[in-house]
Amino acid sequence: MAYLLRTLKYKLPDMDQIQKTGAEINPVVSIGNKTIGPYYWVGHCINGIDYYAGQTFKSTANGKLKRIKLFPSIVYGITDAKLSIYTFDQNSHLWQEKKAEASQHVSKAMEGNWISFEIPEFEVKSGVDYAFKLSCNSGGMLAIAECPWDDFDAYPDGEQWIGSSDSAEGYFHKDFDLAFEAQIEKS
């Protein structure tokens, strides 16, 4: 076995060091649906309206929400994308307290690649509903991937939200979802 590990160049954690420092290796749980389909435009349009998109989701573990990944199928211009995370009341469809926020500078070079919003120190609880909203500044726009429309309710533990500067309350779509991945480091 040791020969195989050396051959494959795996580096196992030093268990003595872990015991001395008290460090632990926490597993990461991923939720969401990363199947790419059509897209929804987010950002400042030439018609003067800002468009937003979001997604509700249910945490499947207790731990730190480390990142949320989204897929920009098309990037128009250069923009600063902001992802805001809220607690969410699924029954009344009400956004509650903003809990965290992350920003990402997005350029044309990032088009067609998953972008990661690194979340600073935010604890989630298993079975609790959360939601995120994506907005863009600086005049650029992102075509954020949705799950394929023929995949009815691709992520059953949430729903897509869309809004604009003309309709800040927005609309929820139970049968549509953004393509996303949320990663939770279990505690």
Side-chain angles (χ1 to χ4, degrees), residues 1-9:
M1 179 72 166
Y3 171 76
L4 176 63
L5 291 175
R6 277 194 304 273
T7 303
L8 297 175
K9 299 188 190 281

Side-chain angles (χ1 to χ4, degrees), residues 18-63:
I18 290 173
Q19 290 172 351
K20 287 178 193 171
T21 63
E24 295 180 19
I25 300 172
N26 294 331
V28 173
V29 175
S30 292
I31 58 174
N33 187 327
K34 292 179 74 176
T35 308
I36 305 299
Y39 48 81
Y40 182 81
W41 285 100
V42 175
H44 185 75
C45 189
I46 60 172
N47 66 4
I49 298 174
D50 291 306
Y51 293 93
Y52 317 113
Q55 177 74 38
T56 68
F57 64 95
K58 185 180 296 288
S59 177
T60 58
N62 292 325

Side-chain angles (χ1 to χ4, degrees), residues 61-113:
N62 292 325
K64 290 182 184 175
L65 179 61
K66 299 300 283 182
R67 67 194 50 82
I68 292 179
K69 295 180 181 181
L70 297 171
F71 190 89
S73 299
I74 302 170
V75 175
Y76 177 77
I78 297 173
T79 190
D80 293 314
K82 180 173 67 175
L83 187 95
S84 303
I85 303 168
Y86 300 80
T87 49
F88 186 76
D89 184 336
Q90 187 67 35
N91 294 326
S92 62
H93 282 96
L94 290 178
W95 300 86
Q96 297 179 329
E97 183 181 354
K98 185 191 297 185
K99 294 292 193 175
E101 200 164 76
S103 295
Q104 177 69 263
H105 184 74
V106 182
S107 67
K108 186 75 170 169
M110 300 167 92
E111 180 175 281
N113 294 292

Side-chain angles (χ1 to χ4, degrees), residues 118-185:
E118 302 297 315
I119 311 300
E121 300 300 314
F122 175 49
E123 294 283 332
V124 294
K125 295 181 181 166
S126 183
V128 175
D129 292 305
Y130 300 92
F132 63 82
K133 288 182 183 180
L134 180 68
S135 61
C136 293
N137 301 324
S138 309
M141 293 190 78
L142 306 176
I144 295 298
E146 298 174 310
C147 294
W149 291 352
D150 61 354
D151 190 357
F152 184 72
D153 201 12
Y155 177 68
D157 286 334
E159 46 194 290
Q160 183 176 338
W161 173 85
I162 58 171
S164 70
S165 53
D166 281 352
S167 177
E169 69 281 352
Y171 303 95
F172 290 93
H173 299 281
K174 176 65 180 146
D175 298 328
F176 297 100
D177 297 288
L178 293 179
F180 79 101
E181 179 183 26
Q183 294 179 343
I184 302 166
E185 184 180 274

